[in-house]
């Protein structure tokens, strides 16, 4: 697996709903890259790759953050 994607399959939480450093760093890097895409820059929205939305829902970028925090990212993404 590519090092950039390694965070996706790691544990998300340390305790008390705090993200692990690795997951938080990976999520931040992913959202920075995804947020720099032209469609997101113009609309503020993006397809959500969380397990619930399945990369189908086109929602606000801020909501994608919370979905990936709560629901994790699709393993196949």
């Amino acid at each position: 697996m590519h090092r950039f994607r390694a965070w996706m399959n790691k544990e998300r939480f340390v305790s008390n709903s705090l993200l692990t450093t690795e997951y938080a760093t990976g999520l931040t890097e992913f959202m920075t890259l995804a947020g720099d895409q032209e469609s997101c820059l113009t609309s503020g929205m993006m397809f959500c790759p969380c397990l619930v939305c399945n990369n189908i829902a086109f929602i606000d970028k801020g909501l994608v953050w919370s979905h990936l925090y709560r629901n994790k990212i699709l393993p196949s993404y």
Side-chain angles (χ1 to χ4, degrees), residues 1 3 11-12 21 27 29 45 50-51 69-70 72 75 77:
M1 178 179 297
R3 197 187 100 210
E11 288 295 321
R12 282 179 296 156
T21 301
L27 178 57
E29 289 175 0
M45 299 175 71
C50 82
L51 292 172
Y69 179 91
R70 272 195 328 261
K72 206 166 182 180
Y77 189 80

Side-chain angles (χ1 to χ4, degrees), residues 30-31 34-35 40 43-49 57-61 64:
F30 171 79
M31 290 299 297
C40 188
S43 69
M45 299 175 71
M46 59 189 287
F47 287 100
C48 181
F58 193 64
I59 60 176
D60 182 78
K61 177 180 153 183
V64 174

Side-chain angles (χ1 to χ4, degrees), residues 1-10 21-37 46 49 68 73-75 77:
M1 178 179 297
H2 192 276
R3 197 187 100 210
F4 180 74
R5 298 173 49 89
W7 66 275
M8 295 176 177
N9 297 318
K10 301 286 184 171
T21 301
E22 185 174 18
Y23 192 86
T25 300
L27 178 57
T28 301
E29 289 175 0
F30 171 79
M31 290 299 297
T32 299
L33 181 66
D36 284 343
Q37 302 304 306
M46 59 189 287
L68 294 177
I73 195 166
L74 287 166
Y77 189 80

